[in-house]
Every structure is written in C-alpha cells, then in structure tokens.
Amino acid sequence: MTLIHNYLYKEIVLLTTAIIGVLTFLLVAVSMFKVVQTLMYTDLPMYLAAKLMFLGIPLTLTLTIPAGLLAAVMIVFGRMSSDRELLALKASGIGLAPVVAPVIVIAMLLSGIDYWLVAYVVPECQKEFSGMKHEIVTNNPMALLNPEEVVDKIPGWRIYFAKKEGTTLDDVILWRLEDGTNRLTSSIRADRAEIDLDLEHQQLVMKLLNGREEEYPHDGDAMKVHPGGHGEQMVEAVSLNSFYEKVQKKLAWMTLPDIWDIIYTMQSAPTGEPASPYLTELQARISFSITTFTFIVVGIPLAIQTQRRETSFGIVITFLIVLLYYVLGAVGRALKAHAGLYPELIIWTPNILFQAVGFWLFYRANRK
C-alpha cells in the first residue's frame, strides 16, 4: 500500500499543480490583457495596474483549486480503471477506500486552503481593490478619460473627445442616458471642456465652452429631436458615486468573523435590518470552502465507472461537474433577499446533492 500511495500522491499532486497553474495563468492572462489595454489609453501607472491584476489571483485560485484537483482525479483514476489496475488491486484483497485515502487527504488540505482564501484573503483583496479604485479616481480622475474612444466607465454617461491636455478636453461630445435603461435622453457638443474634481459632492465638474445641447424623445424618433440649452459656458456635473462605495456595506469585503459579528449583533439587539443576506453569505462561504472535497467524492467513482483513459474526456466531465455545481450555487445566492425561502439552507444543496450521488456511486463501484 505504501508503494500505491506514493504513486498516487506523486501523480495527483504533480497533475493538480500543473492544471491549477495553467488555469490560473489563463484567467490571469485575460486580466493582464485588460490591464494592458488600460495602460495604453490612460495615465494609470504600471505598478497600480499590476497590483489591480494580482489582487484578483486569490479569487481565481478559489475556482482553479477545486477544478484542478477534480481534473487530476478524473485523469488518473480513469486511466487506472481503463488499465484494469483497480481490478487487480481488488483481486489482491484491497478495497477502494485504502486506495483513495491519499486523494481524500489532499482534498481536505486543499479545502482548508480554500476556507482560508474565502474567509479572509479574498474579502481583503476585494476591499483593497475597491480602495485602489477610489484612490485612482481621487488622485487622478483624468485616468478615466481616454481620447478618441467612447468612455463608458461612468454610469449614466458616455463621453467622447478628440484630444486631452492636462485637465482640458478638445472636441467633446457628452451623451446622457436614462438610469437603468441606457436610453439616450440628450447630447451635448462642445469645442472644449475643462475638468475639475469636486470631492465634497463626489462628482466631476465639466465646464463646457461653446456648448450645444440636443434632447431626444422617449420613442426614439429622430424627427422629434429638438435643441436644448446652449451658451459660451455650460456646466455639467458627472456623478462618481459608483467609485465611492462604502466598504462597510459590501458583504463581499467582509471576512467571516466580521459577518458573524454582525449576525450576533442582530440577534442580541435587533435593528430591523434583514439578517438573511448575512446568513446566506456566511453559509455560502463555508459551503464553498468544501467544494474541493465534494468534487472528489463525486469525481473518483465517476472516473472509475467511466473507464476512459483519454485526458480530453476527463476534462469535459470536469467542466460539466464544475458548471452544474456553480449554477446550483448561484441559484442559492440569488435568493438571499428572500428570507422565507431559507436561502442559507438552499446554498448547501449543491454539496448535499453531489456528495449523495458520489457516495452512492462509490458504493456501487466498491461492490463490483
């Protein structure tokens, strides 16, 4: 058994590490591509752009660690089953439980890492990310504005200009959109705009020189467009509230102890605020942290019974399992505002369902 365990440890660990590395690299590469685009068209310093990218790695690892171990298990045990190695072990009087013990140990260790990430690291990284976004807007609001492209980073507005010199924009077009629908309500053209940041009211103040406004009808009929205001100087205030979110109101930025303290406070001194979102988030993170173990419970017997040694087949099955699991989890999170449906319990459905199927499949595979 020592020889078998050493073989499994080596194969599973090496393959899991390789898959996690490849998946993480691919997902981070997508972020890097977006960062490079940002650097090309803004004044954002390289170190800030790189830091924004790396702050997303812990969240990426919470996805790639369970998927990486599951893919490794599907490949290794699928190959062992196809080569009749497991059948030979059974003929020697060795059951499946001792064989899969090393994988269970690895899954429990990785689940511990997942718990540490979702409970502490990821919330802190997301809080830091938001704080950096606030700092960028506060210290360098012009980094939001890129010449010769439509700027869509500010909700409710689209901005285009031909040239930027310091805080002055040339040949400016502003489009004002209706909240929630993105329907065009008016546009303003100006020869030049001077930008100022109003920190007290969290907005960009744009002084438009030689501005001309057009208002658009609700039905979108171009024949009904009529002139609005115009003048040598027009002032428009563009809200930046979305860049100044309050940290204490963001569940995603709270660690598990922070969430538990809020729940405890609500129970000891009720304030009328619903506790369901906090309970659901607490249960979701605990449930999510054991994803790696759940994937292994269903992955091992599935790999044994499919008896396929092709790597591509294992990857496809891994993708389907991961997709179904996270879709079910998303349903639970979506119901967190509906306390009557007990979303804090529904969030455990993927783990209960997958583990029940996994143990049943393992029971069948062990009896053959």
Side-chain angles (χ1 to χ4, degrees):
M1 287 305 300
T2 301
L3 184 63
I4 296 171
H5 285 174
N6 289 339
Y7 167 77
L8 285 175
Y9 275 124
K10 179 181 177 181
E11 289 290 314
I12 296 294
V13 169
L14 290 178
L15 197 52
T16 300
T17 303
I19 295 173
I20 291 175
V22 170
L23 291 177
T24 304
F25 173 78
L26 291 175
L27 293 176
V28 171
V30 173
S31 300
M32 175 63 80
F33 178 74
K34 294 180 180 179
V35 168
V36 170
Q37 283 186 316
T38 302
L39 288 174
M40 289 174 62
Y41 299 107
T42 69
D43 301 325
L44 191 64
M46 171 66 85
Y47 78 93
L48 283 179
K51 187 175 181 180
L52 287 172
M53 179 192 68
F54 284 111
L55 284 174
I57 290 181
L59 180 60
T60 303
L61 286 175
T62 62
L63 302 173
T64 58
I65 287 176
L69 183 58
L70 175 60
V73 165
M74 293 298 299
I75 293 171
V76 172
F77 279 90
R79 184 173 62 240
M80 291 179 66
S81 180
S82 177
D83 292 341
R84 300 294 189 269
E85 294 175 356
L86 294 176
L87 185 61
L89 290 173
K90 282 186 178 181
S92 302
I94 302 175
L96 286 179
V99 175
V100 303
V103 184
I104 299 299
V105 171
I106 295 173
M108 293 179 68
L109 290 175
L110 291 180
S111 292
I113 294 175
D114 276 340
Y115 176 81
W116 174 64
L117 289 174
V118 300
Y120 300 99
V121 180
V122 172
E124 291 295 337
C125 286
Q126 297 214 16
K127 184 190 298 184
E128 179 71 13
F129 182 91
S130 180
M132 287 184 63
K133 186 173 66 172
H134 176 278
E135 181 183 350
I136 290 169
V137 176
T138 302
N139 298 330
N140 188 17
M142 299 302 293
L144 293 171
L145 306 175
N146 311 321
E148 296 187 345
E149 70 170 23
V150 177
V151 178
D152 59 358
K153 302 179 182 70
I154 302 174
W157 290 89
R158 298 293 183 268
I159 303 173
Y160 177 88
F161 56 94
K163 186 180 179 182
K164 178 171 68 173
E165 292 183 2
T167 59
T168 301
L169 311 180
D170 291 335
D171 298 329
V172 182
I173 305 176
L174 301 179
W175 292 279
R176 185 186 286 110
L177 308 177
E178 187 177 55
D179 293 341
T181 64
N182 283 338
R183 185 185 67 83
L184 180 63
T185 60
S186 64
S187 67
I188 304 175
R189 296 174 180 265
D191 295 339
R192 182 172 296 180
E194 296 178 359
I195 309 298
D196 186 31
L197 178 65
D198 182 359
L199 285 177
E200 181 180 355
H201 300 97
Q202 301 175 2
Q203 60 187 6
L204 281 178
V205 178
M206 308 181 71
K207 185 167 67 174
L208 306 169
L209 305 180
N210 193 20
R212 304 164 301 280
E213 183 176 9
E214 291 182 343
E215 296 181 356
Y216 295 85
H218 190 274
D219 58 9
D221 187 352
M223 300 300 295
K224 298 179 182 179
V225 174
H226 57 87
H230 66 278
E232 293 184 1
Q233 287 192 7
M234 300 174 63
V235 177
E236 285 290 335
V238 179
S239 176
L240 297 175
N241 286 335
S242 62
F243 294 91
Y244 292 84
E245 297 157 312
K246 295 181 179 179
V247 171
Q248 63 269 24
K249 289 188 177 181
K250 274 287 186 179
L251 269 174
W253 302 341
M254 296 181 185
T255 63
L256 276 188
D258 293 336
I259 297 175
W260 177 249
D261 288 342
I262 292 176
I263 295 173
Y264 179 78
T265 302
M266 287 181 172
Q267 292 176 339
S268 58
T271 61
E273 183 181 2
S276 178
Y278 297 96
L279 288 170
T280 304
E281 183 68 20
L282 178 73
Q283 296 296 333
R285 293 198 196 177
I286 297 174
S287 172
F288 189 79
S289 67
I290 64 172
T291 300
T292 305
F293 177 78
T294 299
F295 281 0
I296 294 311
V297 169
V298 71
I300 291 176
L302 192 59
I304 293 172
Q305 296 202 26
T306 52
Q307 297 185 358
R308 298 287 293 272
R309 62 179 294 115
E310 295 92 341
T311 301
S312 58
F313 182 79
I315 298 298
V316 170
I317 294 297
T318 299
F319 174 78
L320 294 176
I321 292 175
V322 171
L323 179 63
L324 179 58
Y325 180 90
Y326 287 120
V327 166
L328 292 175
V331 171
R333 282 181 178 270
L335 297 174
K336 63 183 179 182
H338 303 278
L341 298 177
Y342 299 99
E344 65 273 14
L345 300 180
I346 293 177
I347 205 72
W348 283 94
T349 301
N351 282 311
I352 295 173
L353 177 62
F354 275 65
Q355 289 190 25
V357 172
F359 283 121
W360 178 70
L361 291 175
F362 190 88
Y363 172 79
R364 287 190 57 188
N366 199 42
R367 287 177 58 91
K368 286 184 178 180

